[in-house]
Amino acid sequence: MTGPTGPADDVAGRAAAAFTQRYGERPAGLWAAPGRANLIGEHTDYNDGFVLPFALPLRTVVAAAPQADGRWTVTSELSDTPIEFGADAIAEPGRVTGWGGYVAGVAWALRDAGHQVPGARLAIASDVPIGSGLSSSAALEAAVLAALVDLGGLDLPTQRGPRLAQRAENAYVGAPTGIMDQSAVIRCRAGHALFLDCRTEAVEHIPFDLAAAGLAVLVVDSRAPHRHADGEYASRRAACERGAALLGVPALRDVPVTDLDAALARLIGSIEAPPGEDVEVVRRRVRHVVTENQRVLDTVELLRAGRLRDVGPLLTASHASMRDDFEITVPEIDTAVEAALAAGAYGARMTGGGFGGCVLALVDAERADAVATAVTAAYAERGYPAPGFHPVTPAPGAHRL
Ligand code: ADP
Ligand code: MG
């Protein structure tokens, strides 16, 4: 198991060593950006709703120095082959493919926003698991962005970073993501969760000092293969849009939980629904989004009142809603949640888009190992490959080391 501070220290050392080994000199600096977990608020982002992510102590570190010829060279621990590109590669999206696209995409987005992007040598190391839903992609973008901004002395206010990094991922790499990941990895603060209104992009830092309360979040990497996640995501999104259209609101965010019963009743009698359309499914999707938005608001209130343990039941209710109404969990994920709860977690839920990824369990810090052991045993009993564990507390967003 990896602790909250151990790997972060190592990863900076690895990035610096990789830089020196590759380029024969010391880097001009090191820039770090964290992975993130969403405490609560799932599939609410594209419904103009609320999310509450926090930054992880697992992070990506970029060691960097300017490169005088105006070109870019990039190494990553993940790849044997360095990426090299010049100004032509950032003239338009898509010229660099694969993992280098995330780096070139950031340079492109900066240039496209009118900045003079400095050529650079970069070496990347990371402790953020790749493709587990902890946002290694946004961590990479944010660390590279911080490095290029500092190396070039660019005038980019922090609050503009998320949109820029999101453009790199959406427009250059071609991966459709909302604004949550980049907002979290750039704007989160240690000991806090980030309350983000996805409609207005307003953020508020909500105290979430797990360590001070003797608590931790145990992140369980289910290691479940992502099954048809893209198609399922698109169909959930379509059902939400259909629900909003049938209810005559711009987005499901506009249905307050106090109007939920009336809204669900209206959907049953919805005369606009074409024959054969499964209104039952739309009703369940709507119920998840409307109740989930309220759970985010309730969680924020509890955290403001310093009642961290009382958030547990909201996490568990969120999971039940994702399992039963939104239908985005898989057996490995449900197993991890049930085993964590049985082992004494205050609450547990899947985090991320679904069909795999990670589970969060709110636990007494001293119980983290026991809960991990129980989840491992439940996996073994069912013959699932062993899960991964990261006990975490909220860490800072992207910054220079
Ligand atoms: P997630 O963000 O959930 O980890 P994504 O599929 O969005 O998963 O992003 C993973 C991709 O991001 C990787 O396949 C790789 O292309 C890129 N990436 C992330 N971290 C690194 C890294 N340290 N080095 C190289 N590429 C990385
Ligand atoms: Mg990602």
Side-chain angles (χ1 to χ4, degrees), residues 236 284-285 321-329 355:
R236 295 309 179 284
R284 285 206 298 276
R285 307 300 188 245
S321 180
M322 290 189 285
R323 183 190 60 212
D324 302 336
D325 277 347
F326 225 60
E327 299 177 279
I328 53 174
T329 70
F355 306 99

Side-chain angles (χ1 to χ4, degrees), residues 135-138 169 177 181:
S135 222
S136 70
S137 57
E169 185 147 350
T177 57
D181 294 357

Side-chain angles (χ1 to χ4, degrees), residues 83-109:
I83 305 282
E84 287 193 58
F85 57 92
D88 54 322
I90 62 166
E92 62 180 73
R95 298 244 174 122
V96 177
T97 55
W99 67 268
Y102 292 85
V103 180
V106 169
W108 166 79

Side-chain angles (χ1 to χ4, degrees), residues 104-123:
V106 169
W108 166 79
L110 275 169
R111 182 185 162 278
D112 203 53
H115 297 284
Q116 285 279 341
V117 194
R121 296 164 161 183
L122 311 166

Side-chain angles (χ1 to χ4, degrees), residues 60 76 78 99 102 124 126 129-137 140 169:
T60 296
S76 167
L78 290 185
W99 67 268
Y102 292 85
I124 297 159
S126 182
I130 307 289
S132 292
L134 300 178
S135 222
S136 70
S137 57
L140 176 56
E169 185 147 350

